[in-house]
């Protein structure tokens, strides 16, 4: 997978907004990796802000919807991991400013 495709995947993921925080999952630092294999399966490795996040299923559904709009993507596999755990340190400067986090 080339850098342009990685950029396309991450760009599409920036359209997925965490409903509770109102910031996209990329800037929140929830996405650890995104890649596309030769068969056209987009594989996203990510975490959620908390183990019991009630928005998890909605976020996964939105990821699938956004990535399947890319012509190269035939299928989407979202792998939610808990290690390393998410922390505010994962957030981009933009997300920290938008949420008033220092």
């Amino acid at each position: 997978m080339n850098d342009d495709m990685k950029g396309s995947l991450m760009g599409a993921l920036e359209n997925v907004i965490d409903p509770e925080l109102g910031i996209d999952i990329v800037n929140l630092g929830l996405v650890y990796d995104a890649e596309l294999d030769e068969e056209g399966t987009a594989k996203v490795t990510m975490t959620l802000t908390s183990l019991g996040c009630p928005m998890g299923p909605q976020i996964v559904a939105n990821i699938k919807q956004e990535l399947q709009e890319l012509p190269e993507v035939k299928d989407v596999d979202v792998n939610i991991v808990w290690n390393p755990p998410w922390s505010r340190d994962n957030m981009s400067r933009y997300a920290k400013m938008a949420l008033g986090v220092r």
Side-chain angles (χ1 to χ4, degrees):
M1 183 180 75
N2 63 32
D3 288 343
D4 288 341
M5 190 66 240
K6 179 87 158 189
S8 294
L9 292 173
M10 295 304 279
L13 292 172
E14 285 182 351
N15 293 323
V16 179
I17 306 298
D18 181 303
E20 292 182 311
L21 299 175
I23 305 290
D24 70 86
I25 63 173
V26 173
N27 278 292
L28 284 173
L30 297 176
V31 178
Y32 294 151
D33 192 29
E35 56 188 36
L36 186 69
D37 68 18
E38 286 99 28
E39 289 80 41
T41 300
K43 297 182 180 186
V44 178
T45 302
M46 65 169 294
T47 192
L48 298 170
T49 56
S50 66
L51 190 60
C53 177
M55 294 291 112
Q58 182 62 49
I59 291 171
V60 169
N62 292 349
I63 288 170
K64 290 180 178 186
Q65 178 181 0
E66 289 295 331
L67 290 179
Q68 287 178 331
E69 289 185 17
L70 297 173
E72 300 87 354
V73 175
K74 308 295 181 240
D75 194 18
V76 178
D77 179 23
V78 179
N79 182 27
I80 296 178
V81 298
W82 302 108
N83 197 16
W86 179 84
S87 78
R88 291 180 176 179
D89 294 337
N90 296 28
M91 296 188 327
S92 71
R93 183 171 180 265
Y94 160 76
K96 287 177 181 177
M97 289 174 56
L99 295 173
V101 174
R102 293 181 179 216

